[in-house]
Amino acid sequence: MPQDNSIVIETLLRLTRSSNVRRGVLAAILPFLGVVAAFGIAPDTVAEKVVVAPVVEAIALTPVATSSTPEDTYWREERIQRGDTFAGVLSRLRVEDADALRFLRSSNEAKGLRQLVTGRVVRAHTADDGRLIELRYSTGLMVLSAKADGDRYRVTEEVAPLERRVMMRSAEIRSSLFAATDAARLTDAVAGQLADIFSTDIDFHKDLRRGDRFTVVYEMFYDGGEPVRSGRVLAAEFVNAGVALQAVWFEHVNGQGDYYTPTGKSIKKAFLRSPLEFSRISSGFTQARFHPILQRWRAHKGIDYAAATGTGVKATADGIVETASHDRGYGNVVVLRHQQKYTTLYGHLSGFARGITRGARVSQGQVIGYVGSTGLATGPHLHYEFRINQVHLDPLTVAMPDAPPITSDLRVAFESVARPLAQRLTLLRSTNLARLD
Ligand SMILES: [Zn+2]
């Protein structure tokens, strides 16, 4: 179908929290646009914040000018091609408006709209006489707009309203997790989330078996049909050595969320094993060792992690900052208190993360400071202590408590999110659909 015969209809669906409203709107519009396939799975099964999702679909039409009235307006879309001129793009967009052309081609304000970057998308909203109502130019992350405002044009710049699609991919492990996630064309960000989600149950270096499989349901954000970035993993299943583990993302009312099993058990531990991602343990937990600076034997009631100065140090559990100060021995030190009886200590920091002051609330995995060598330290490292009721324990061997499960007040909301996702994961496992993408 020739490009000129297609009219792009852009429908902005203001999705609300009410999935019923959303389902109704989508059901009403999808048959016309034929974008059912684009969603992968029904977006109404997912709890989300209020988002604006433009649904853009080219519909090939034979000319329908016979039915047009003076009020008819159209959105047209063009992609900038190699060798294009600005006038050429506007002509393809059927902008026939001398004032608009003069403004767009010469004004300083409209400079950003004239960048001829191959592949970028320009959309024009015109009246059927060619008068320009609005021109929108997308850089991928930003949208520049020139909008008719009386007898002039107003240029604004805003963050691109991205279309959110829920995607699903499956793959079988043949060599490594990352070879499989690459084969499934998952972004590194999604692959990393997948590994994180199951890391308390699966050691991806040791436990993987040939034939292990995973399915992941995640968000992708699109601008004008082009993927811009991936979002959050909403649900995932990992079949490891014949055992299926499932995880579902659930967002609490305060905007924070966690992964749970479909029955509502938290899949994370209350404490991360380590406050640093990849690091070498330079000194383990002992009752006695020779202190290199004090030059005498004393107990080392923590773990030392060697890491470069400036490496982010994470809170190992949700908690409250009890201390963020300087100590002669520990240097810059943060002490966190968790659920009354637990405390964790992070020493020799080069500095504190923003907002880390006494009384501040932190969440698990949040960066609270940076590796350094302040206090009595021979080189940059993190000194980490874990205490229960003031008794020092080895964080590498102590049995970590589970994070709390879904509370009874959230049970109904949780079920409405988790059940359909878990059913879908289970269904996919028992069919070959999982191989399609
Ligand atoms: Zn130490």
Side-chain angles (χ1 to χ4, degrees):
M1 198 65 63
Q3 183 76 18
D4 286 351
N5 281 350
S6 69
I7 293 175
V8 170
I9 297 176
E10 181 169 357
T11 311
L12 284 172
L13 289 182
R14 195 164 285 275
L15 300 184
T16 69
R17 264 195 177 277
S18 155
S19 59
N20 287 332
V21 170
R22 200 158 63 227
R23 189 176 301 137
V25 172
L26 285 172
I29 288 173
L30 289 178
F32 294 104
L33 299 186
V35 293
V36 177
F39 283 94
I41 70 165
D44 56 301
T45 56
V46 173
E48 62 182 11
K49 288 188 198 130
V50 176
V51 294
V52 178
V55 176
V56 181
E57 183 67 13
I59 299 185
L61 293 176
T62 46
V64 287
T66 48
S67 65
S68 71
T69 66
E71 285 78 33
D72 278 353
T73 64
Y74 300 102
W75 276 102
R76 288 188 178 82
E77 179 182 284
E78 281 294 331
R79 204 167 276 280
I80 297 171
Q81 292 160 17
R82 191 190 292 271
D84 249 338
T85 61
F86 187 60
V89 175
L90 292 177
S91 155
R92 289 207 301 280
L93 288 166
R94 306 279 183 81
V95 177
E96 287 158 27
D97 183 329
D99 290 341
L101 290 177
R102 196 176 313 116
F103 173 80
L104 291 168
R105 294 174 70 171
S106 59
S107 99
N108 212 23
E109 255 182 293
K111 210 166 141 192
L113 290 121
R114 294 195 293 267
Q115 306 168 72
L116 293 168
V117 179
T118 306
R120 283 194 178 165
V121 172
V122 186
R123 299 186 180 94
H125 188 196
T126 53
D128 67 351
D129 60 0
R131 187 168 43 86
L132 182 67
I133 299 165
E134 186 180 359
L135 190 79
R136 288 172 78 81
Y137 177 101
S138 173
T139 66
L141 295 173
M142 300 301 289
V143 173
L144 294 160
S145 156
K147 201 169 186 175
D149 183 13
D151 56 359
R152 58 186 292 276
Y153 285 88
R154 208 156 43 84
V155 176
T156 55
E157 188 173 350
E158 62 193 48
V159 176
L162 299 179
E163 177 199 354
R164 173 183 177 276
R165 296 183 191 172
V166 176
M167 313 293 284
M168 175 146 41
R169 298 232 186 262
S170 285
E172 195 173 297
I173 312 287
R174 299 228 164 76
S175 53
S176 71
L177 174 65
F178 288 97
T181 55
D182 281 351
R185 288 181 284 124
L186 292 172
T187 64
D188 286 353
V190 170
Q193 287 180 61
L194 182 70
D196 271 358
I197 289 166
F198 294 110
S199 61
T200 48
D201 292 299
I202 303 170
D203 179 337
F204 286 104
H205 298 294
K206 290 192 315 206
D207 299 341
L208 285 189
R209 300 283 177 273
R210 229 180 125 89
D212 280 359
R213 285 182 295 146
F214 65 80
T215 300
V216 57
V217 178
Y218 61 100
E219 302 169 313
M220 274 299 287
F221 293 94
Y222 286 75
D223 176 58
E226 295 295 317
V228 176
R229 63 179 176 84
S230 53
R232 192 188 297 285
V233 169
L234 302 171
E237 178 179 82
F238 209 104
V239 182
N240 176 228
V243 178
L245 301 164
Q246 290 186 336
V248 172
W249 171 256
F250 179 68
E251 198 168 294
H252 303 198
V253 270
N254 61 9
Q256 296 198 319
D258 279 312
Y259 291 97
Y260 295 89
T261 68
T263 58
K265 203 170 153 280
S266 177
I267 64 150
K268 72 173 188 186
K269 294 290 177 187
F271 288 86
L272 299 175
R273 207 45 96 169
S274 153
L276 292 170
E277 228 150 281
F278 303 108
S279 49
R280 187 169 55 81
I281 291 169
S282 50
S283 226
F285 186 95
T286 61
Q287 294 301 336
R289 70 155 185 167
F290 189 73
H291 194 281
I293 290 182
L294 299 175
Q295 294 289 305
R296 57 187 163 87
W297 288 88
R298 58 177 247 179
H300 187 244
K301 296 185 170 184
I303 303 283
D304 287 348
Y305 293 94
T309 299
T311 304
V313 173
K314 299 183 203 172
T316 51
D318 295 351
I320 289 172
V321 178
E322 192 169 84
T323 308
S325 60
H326 189 83
D327 176 273
R328 203 182 70 85
Y330 287 124
N332 292 325
V333 61
V334 171
V335 178
L336 302 179
R337 175 165 295 280
H338 321 271
Q339 307 168 33
Q340 299 307 320
K341 63 177 181 172
Y342 301 96
T343 49
T344 53
L345 178 147
Y346 311 79
H348 309 310
L349 303 174
S350 59
F352 305 113
R354 191 190 302 219
I356 300 302
T357 51
R358 190 182 160 79
R361 191 169 286 279
V362 298
S363 49
Q364 186 179 61
Q366 183 182 336
V367 171
I368 53 171
Y370 306 94
V371 170
S373 50
T374 55
L376 296 177
T378 47
H381 74 282
L382 173 72
H383 173 89
Y384 175 60
E385 292 179 15
F386 180 86
R387 299 178 218 176
I388 301 180
N389 294 325
Q390 300 307 322
V391 177
H392 289 81
L393 294 168
D394 184 348
L396 298 180
T397 57
V398 70
M400 292 294 185
D402 286 326
I406 285 288
T407 51
S408 56
D409 56 321
L410 292 175
R411 176 57 66 175
V412 173
F414 174 76
E415 297 266 319
S416 72
V417 170
R419 193 172 291 161
L421 283 169
Q423 276 169 355
R424 214 172 276 268
L425 291 172
T426 304
L427 185 73
L428 275 163
R429 193 194 325 142
S430 57
T431 67
N432 267 334
L433 273 178
R435 303 294 159 75
L436 300 175
D437 51 22

PDB file of all heavy atoms in Angstrom, residues 355-368:
ATOM      1  N   GLY A 355      21.038  11.878  51.823  1.00  0.00           N
ATOM      2  CA  GLY A 355      19.870  11.577  52.664  1.00  0.00           C
ATOM      3  C   GLY A 355      20.142  10.586  53.780  1.00  0.00           C
ATOM      4  O   GLY A 355      19.254  10.263  54.558  1.00  0.00           O
ATOM      5  N   ILE A 356      21.381  10.074  53.844  1.00  0.00           N
ATOM      6  CA  ILE A 356      21.683   9.102  54.898  1.00  0.00           C
ATOM      7  C   ILE A 356      22.106   9.859  56.154  1.00  0.00           C
ATOM      8  O   ILE A 356      23.273  10.228  56.326  1.00  0.00           O
ATOM      9  CB  ILE A 356      22.766   8.099  54.432  1.00  0.00           C
ATOM     10  CG1 ILE A 356      22.284   7.337  53.198  1.00  0.00           C
ATOM     11  CG2 ILE A 356      23.127   7.127  55.544  1.00  0.00           C
ATOM     12  CD1 ILE A 356      20.981   6.561  53.385  1.00  0.00           C
ATOM     13  N   THR A 357      21.106  10.122  57.004  1.00  0.00           N
ATOM     14  CA  THR A 357      21.351  10.788  58.279  1.00  0.00           C
ATOM     15  C   THR A 357      20.544  10.032  59.329  1.00  0.00           C
ATOM     16  O   THR A 357      19.625   9.273  58.976  1.00  0.00           O
ATOM     17  CB  THR A 357      20.881  12.253  58.269  1.00  0.00           C
ATOM     18  OG1 THR A 357      19.532  12.279  57.796  1.00  0.00           O
ATOM     19  CG2 THR A 357      21.741  13.121  57.356  1.00  0.00           C
ATOM     20  N   ARG A 358      20.895  10.233  60.575  1.00  0.00           N
ATOM     21  CA  ARG A 358      20.228   9.526  61.667  1.00  0.00           C
ATOM     22  C   ARG A 358      18.707   9.637  61.528  1.00  0.00           C
ATOM     23  O   ARG A 358      18.171  10.721  61.314  1.00  0.00           O
ATOM     24  CB  ARG A 358      20.686  10.136  62.995  1.00  0.00           C
ATOM     25  CG  ARG A 358      20.252   9.355  64.201  1.00  0.00           C
ATOM     26  CD  ARG A 358      20.703  10.045  65.484  1.00  0.00           C
ATOM     27  NE  ARG A 358      19.896   9.562  66.599  1.00  0.00           N
ATOM     28  CZ  ARG A 358      20.119   8.385  67.199  1.00  0.00           C
ATOM     29  NH1 ARG A 358      21.111   7.629  66.841  1.00  0.00           N
ATOM     30  NH2 ARG A 358      19.315   7.990  68.184  1.00  0.00           N
ATOM     31  N   GLY A 359      18.018   8.500  61.627  1.00  0.00           N
ATOM     32  CA  GLY A 359      16.561   8.494  61.568  1.00  0.00           C
ATOM     33  C   GLY A 359      15.992   8.251  60.171  1.00  0.00           C
ATOM     34  O   GLY A 359      14.811   7.975  60.025  1.00  0.00           O
ATOM     35  N   ALA A 360      16.832   8.341  59.139  1.00  0.00           N
ATOM     36  CA  ALA A 360      16.333   8.136  57.768  1.00  0.00           C
ATOM     37  C   ALA A 360      15.950   6.670  57.555  1.00  0.00           C
ATOM     38  O   ALA A 360      16.561   5.774  58.126  1.00  0.00           O
ATOM     39  CB  ALA A 360      17.392   8.551  56.752  1.00  0.00           C
ATOM     40  N   ARG A 361      14.922   6.489  56.734  1.00  0.00           N
ATOM     41  CA  ARG A 361      14.463   5.137  56.428  1.00  0.00           C
ATOM     42  C   ARG A 361      15.146   4.669  55.143  1.00  0.00           C
ATOM     43  O   ARG A 361      15.227   5.432  54.185  1.00  0.00           O
ATOM     44  CB  ARG A 361      12.943   5.179  56.234  1.00  0.00           C
ATOM     45  CG  ARG A 361      12.254   3.862  56.159  1.00  0.00           C
ATOM     46  CD  ARG A 361      10.744   4.077  56.234  1.00  0.00           C
ATOM     47  NE  ARG A 361      10.311   4.420  57.588  1.00  0.00           N
ATOM     48  CZ  ARG A 361      10.113   3.500  58.544  1.00  0.00           C
ATOM     49  NH1 ARG A 361      10.295   2.227  58.303  1.00  0.00           N
ATOM     50  NH2 ARG A 361       9.702   3.883  59.744  1.00  0.00           N
ATOM     51  N   VAL A 362      15.658   3.463  55.136  1.00  0.00           N
ATOM     52  CA  VAL A 362      16.298   2.948  53.921  1.00  0.00           C
ATOM     53  C   VAL A 362      15.664   1.616  53.538  1.00  0.00           C
ATOM     54  O   VAL A 362      15.115   0.921  54.389  1.00  0.00           O
ATOM     55  CB  VAL A 362      17.830   2.752  54.098  1.00  0.00           C
ATOM     56  CG1 VAL A 362      18.517   4.069  54.388  1.00  0.00           C
ATOM     57  CG2 VAL A 362      18.132   1.733  55.190  1.00  0.00           C
ATOM     58  N   SER A 363      15.731   1.297  52.265  1.00  0.00           N
ATOM     59  CA  SER A 363      15.192   0.012  51.843  1.00  0.00           C
ATOM     60  C   SER A 363      16.315  -0.902  51.373  1.00  0.00           C
ATOM     61  O   SER A 363      17.406  -0.441  51.022  1.00  0.00           O
ATOM     62  CB  SER A 363      14.128   0.185  50.758  1.00  0.00           C
ATOM     63  OG  SER A 363      14.616   1.030  49.759  1.00  0.00           O
ATOM     64  N   GLN A 364      16.038  -2.184  51.406  1.00  0.00           N
ATOM     65  CA  GLN A 364      17.039  -3.181  51.039  1.00  0.00           C
ATOM     66  C   GLN A 364      17.593  -2.896  49.649  1.00  0.00           C
ATOM     67  O   GLN A 364      16.833  -2.639  48.728  1.00  0.00           O
ATOM     68  CB  GLN A 364      16.409  -4.572  51.061  1.00  0.00           C
ATOM     69  CG  GLN A 364      17.416  -5.684  50.837  1.00  0.00           C
ATOM     70  CD  GLN A 364      16.762  -7.051  50.884  1.00  0.00           C
ATOM     71  OE1 GLN A 364      15.900  -7.362  50.098  1.00  0.00           O
ATOM     72  NE2 GLN A 364      17.171  -7.858  51.852  1.00  0.00           N
ATOM     73  N   GLY A 365      18.894  -2.923  49.526  1.00  0.00           N
ATOM     74  CA  GLY A 365      19.522  -2.703  48.226  1.00  0.00           C
ATOM     75  C   GLY A 365      19.818  -1.247  47.922  1.00  0.00           C
ATOM     76  O   GLY A 365      20.516  -0.939  46.964  1.00  0.00           O
ATOM     77  N   GLN A 366      19.294  -0.344  48.754  1.00  0.00           N
ATOM     78  CA  GLN A 366      19.543   1.090  48.543  1.00  0.00           C
ATOM     79  C   GLN A 366      21.013   1.409  48.852  1.00  0.00           C
ATOM     80  O   GLN A 366      21.561   0.913  49.836  1.00  0.00           O
ATOM     81  CB  GLN A 366      18.620   1.886  49.477  1.00  0.00           C
ATOM     82  CG  GLN A 366      18.718   3.391  49.309  1.00  0.00           C
ATOM     83  CD  GLN A 366      17.798   4.120  50.303  1.00  0.00           C
ATOM     84  OE1 GLN A 366      16.803   3.565  50.780  1.00  0.00           O
ATOM     85  NE2 GLN A 366      18.148   5.351  50.632  1.00  0.00           N
ATOM     86  N   VAL A 367      21.631   2.235  48.008  1.00  0.00           N
ATOM     87  CA  VAL A 367      23.021   2.618  48.275  1.00  0.00           C
ATOM     88  C   VAL A 367      23.038   3.627  49.417  1.00  0.00           C
ATOM     89  O   VAL A 367      22.352   4.650  49.372  1.00  0.00           O
ATOM     90  CB  VAL A 367      23.697   3.196  47.011  1.00  0.00           C
ATOM     91  CG1 VAL A 367      25.062   3.785  47.343  1.00  0.00           C
ATOM     92  CG2 VAL A 367      23.839   2.106  45.949  1.00  0.00           C
ATOM     93  N   ILE A 368      23.795   3.312  50.469  1.00  0.00           N
ATOM     94  CA  ILE A 368      23.827   4.178  51.652  1.00  0.00           C
ATOM     95  C   ILE A 368      25.157   4.919  51.782  1.00  0.00           C
ATOM     96  O   ILE A 368      25.267   5.896  52.507  1.00  0.00           O
ATOM     97  CB  ILE A 368      23.564   3.371  52.947  1.00  0.00           C
ATOM     98  CG1 ILE A 368      24.523   2.172  53.031  1.00  0.00           C
ATOM     99  CG2 ILE A 368      22.108   2.897  52.995  1.00  0.00           C
ATOM    100  CD1 ILE A 368      24.483   1.458  54.365  1.00  0.00           C
TER     101      ILE A 368
END
